[in-house]
Amino acid sequence: MPPQKKATKAQNKGPQGLIKAYLMAYNQISFLGWSWILVLAIKELVENDFNYTGVFNAVWKYLPAVQTAAALEIVHAAAGWVRSSVATTFTQVLSRVFLVWGVNFLFPEIHTHWSFTTMVISWCIAECVRYAYYFFNLAGGVPSIVNWLRYTLFFVLYPTGAGSEVLMMYVSLPYAKAWNEYYYYLLIVLMLVYIPGLPTMYGHMIGQRKKYLKAQKEKKTQ
């Protein structure tokens, strides 16, 4: 009986170890990808006196690949490798992927609008913090500054990110209507979804902030 228990324990440890190693690598690579896009966007702005019209060309070579790769997170949630809800993960990933392929890829006329720059920078900062948080969490301990950033920056990044996403869809409406009238109405519907969606996300994150920052404070006082 004891040998059997030992074998089972070792057997369970193997796959968990491999999955953990994979998730840590995934978070590291994703962090580096978003960091690189952020560097390229800021470099373009600084070198051109904060003229945002060239940011699209500076980051587009990498943005579709890095953002589309996030679809793997739906698999992670569905497989039970992470605690995230499959429905929530699917919605969040799909909305971002849609903005990349269903809006910016389809309508090049909107690439020089300032909302592309604010959208990408908001995404980059949010994702760099998020992937750093996930990595440290898997590593066994999240630094307090990363924990604070994770549950504080959303106050600014949610409105700048979501607002820019809606504006991107809005400025694409004339081009969408000329391309396909049904697609035009789809964009309008998706824009309207943000009205109840943003307050819901805010409420969820405020609840999470209270929970995790309180736990961090209690841990320090112990």
Side-chain angles (χ1 to χ4, degrees):
M1 185 68 74
Q4 190 176 5
K5 284 184 180 178
K6 261 188 180 179
T8 305
K9 187 177 179 180
Q11 194 175 21
N12 290 338
K13 188 178 178 181
Q16 288 175 356
L18 288 173
I19 291 169
K20 182 178 178 179
Y22 159 74
L23 290 174
M24 290 182 75
Y26 170 81
N27 289 316
Q28 281 181 304
I29 293 168
S30 298
F31 173 85
L32 291 173
W34 284 108
S35 297
W36 180 238
I37 293 170
L38 181 60
V39 167
L40 292 175
I42 293 174
K43 180 174 177 287
E44 174 66 23
L45 289 171
V46 171
E47 290 180 351
N48 293 281
D49 298 322
F50 290 88
N51 183 336
Y52 51 80
T53 56
V55 171
F56 178 89
N57 290 331
V59 305
W60 186 253
K61 182 179 179 181
Y62 305 98
L63 180 63
V66 174
Q67 182 56 75
T68 306
L72 287 170
E73 293 176 32
I74 301 170
V75 178
H76 301 166
W81 296 348
V82 296
R83 290 180 293 177
S84 304
S85 160
V86 177
T88 302
T89 304
F90 178 82
T91 302
Q92 291 174 341
V93 171
L94 185 65
S95 65
R96 294 273 193 88
V97 171
F98 179 79
L99 262 296
V100 170
W101 295 107
V103 178
N104 281 284
F105 177 76
L106 286 180
F107 309 116
E109 299 88 349
I110 69 173
H111 293 168
T112 55
H113 196 273
W114 60 264
S115 59
F116 178 83
T117 299
T118 53
M119 180 182 74
V120 167
I121 290 177
S122 297
W123 284 3
C124 287
I125 296 171
E127 296 297 66
C128 285
V129 172
R130 186 169 72 92
Y131 286 117
Y133 176 90
Y134 289 157
F135 173 81
F136 285 118
N137 195 39
L138 286 165
V142 180
S144 57
I145 184 61
V146 175
N147 196 51
W148 184 85
L149 289 171
R150 166 72 171 149
Y151 293 107
T152 303
L153 287 182
F154 74 91
F155 282 117
V156 175
L157 297 178
Y158 271 20
T160 57
S164 299
E165 291 170 21
V166 172
L167 196 51
M168 282 261 89
M169 287 189 277
Y170 177 76
V171 297
S172 72
L173 287 178
Y175 311 106
K177 193 170 187 178
W179 181 62
N180 186 295
E181 192 170 356
Y182 292 108
Y183 203 75
Y184 166 79
Y185 289 115
L186 172 64
L187 289 178
I188 292 175
V189 170
L190 292 176
M191 288 166 63
L192 292 173
V193 169
Y194 279 76
I195 296 173
L198 186 57
T200 301
M201 290 168 64
Y202 247 118
H204 172 72
M205 286 303 292
I206 288 171
Q208 293 291 93
R209 185 177 194 273
K210 289 178 181 177
K211 176 182 175 182
Y212 286 102
L213 293 191
K214 182 182 177 182
Q216 178 181 304
K217 189 176 180 181
E218 290 174 349
K219 189 176 179 181
K220 282 184 177 179
T221 56
Q222 285 177 356

